[in-house]
Amino acid sequence: IAGITQAPTSQILAAGRRMTLRCTQDMRHNAMYWYRQDLGLGLRLIHYSNTAGTTGKGEVPDGYSVSRANTDDFPLTLASAVPSQTSVYFCASSVTGDTDTQYFGPGTRLTVL
Amino acid sequence: GQNIDQPTEMTATEGAIVQINCTYQTSGFNGLFWYQQHAGEAPTFLSYNVLDGLEEKGRFSSFLSRSKGYSYLLLKELQMKDSASYLCAVMDSNYQLIWGAGTKLIIKP
């Protein structure tokens, strides 16, 4: 693989269910990010990780959790999905967590009913 | 609060020039990014400005004035494939990107 992959591509989920969105990068980037994109709004940062073993909260972290067990993987978990979490989710990575360019995965379109 | 403003939608003609403006108010400034996003796809990097002035990259140029909290993206010799949304994002004092809602650019033949 080259770059960032996300899975699944899309998912329809019943409210209250648990869901993990997967993100893997093969660029050996230290920093990784999860954003959500909603119509009419800019991308909003959910969680980030500047290096393996560390995570931080972004602008809209409530209802989401992340882990960073290794450099390549950065899964995002919705413990109990709600309809307001219907969105397109993008994972991104950058060499470091400062001014480096962020590169985005193809996104996961999630619908919570 | 932090705020990034850009027009919601613009229309231009193939072969012409278009300027997309972005104004910002953020807590701290560590550079401004422009990304392109085609419908249903991921954002892709276009440019980064941290110092005042114009950065030219082929048909695309980006300008920054830190004192005015202002940037623009200039697209020359427009092609139909330039139809996309253009996202302005500012890196704040915590090195987090604050994003505008994007400008949808429609190119007409």
Side-chain angles (χ1 to χ4, degrees):
Chain A
I1 55 173
I4 303 178
T5 58
Q6 293 185 235
T9 301
S10 65
Q11 181 77 44
I12 299 175
L13 190 66
R17 297 297 295 268
R18 180 183 179 91
M19 176 74 191
T20 295
L21 308 185
R22 299 185 298 279
C23 175
T24 299
Q25 54 103 359
D26 67 353
M27 298 178 285
R28 307 305 293 172
H29 284 176
N30 285 305
M32 297 187 74
Y33 314 84
W34 275 105
Y35 291 94
R36 59 179 290 174
Q37 187 174 41
D38 302 291
L39 199 63
L41 298 178
L43 287 158
R44 291 181 292 170
L45 183 65
I46 304 170
H47 285 286
Y48 65 93
S49 168
N50 285 332
T51 189
T54 70
T55 62
K57 294 181 180 180
E59 179 186 356
V60 289
D62 293 344
Y64 306 94
S65 63
V66 291
S67 61
R68 187 88 184 278
N70 57 60
T71 298
D72 299 344
D73 301 300
F74 191 42
L76 176 74
T77 297
L78 290 68
S80 179
V82 295
S84 62
Q85 292 178 312
T86 293
S87 188
V88 180
Y89 291 85
F90 286 103
C91 179
S93 71
S94 61
V95 175
T96 66
D98 54 25
T99 60
D100 293 318
T101 299
Q102 294 183 16
Y103 298 92
F104 284 78
T108 294
R109 183 173 296 275
L110 181 67
T111 302
V112 183
L113 301 176
Chain B
Q2 307 202 92
N3 196 48
I4 310 287
D5 285 318
Q6 46 180 136
T8 302
E9 186 175 296
M10 299 181 71
T11 302
T13 305
E14 190 177 14
I17 300 173
V18 70
Q19 177 175 311
I20 302 174
N21 296 325
C22 171
T23 58
Y24 64 88
Q25 287 182 304
T26 57
S27 54
F29 180 83
N30 281 301
L32 186 144
F33 292 80
W34 284 97
Y35 279 76
Q36 181 190 59
Q37 185 178 25
H38 285 101
E41 298 183 7
T44 55
F45 169 76
L46 288 177
S47 67
Y48 171 67
N49 294 68
V50 66
L51 300 176
D52 289 351
L54 187 68
E55 295 273 347
E56 296 187 78
K57 192 184 295 185
R59 294 189 300 113
F60 291 9
S61 302
S62 56
F63 171 84
L64 175 67
S65 169
R66 289 172 296 171
S67 63
K68 295 182 179 178
Y70 168 70
S71 173
Y72 67 73
L73 181 69
L74 191 71
L75 290 74
K76 303 176 185 177
E77 300 169 15
L78 286 169
Q79 303 175 8
M80 296 304 292
K81 67 178 182 180
D82 297 330
S83 292
S85 289
Y86 291 86
L87 314 180
C88 174
V90 172
M91 186 157 281
D92 70 9
S93 56
N94 294 318
Y95 295 98
Q96 292 187 6
L97 281 176
I98 309 302
W99 296 81
T103 298
K104 182 178 181 180
L105 178 63
I106 299 168
I107 310 295
K108 295 185 174 180

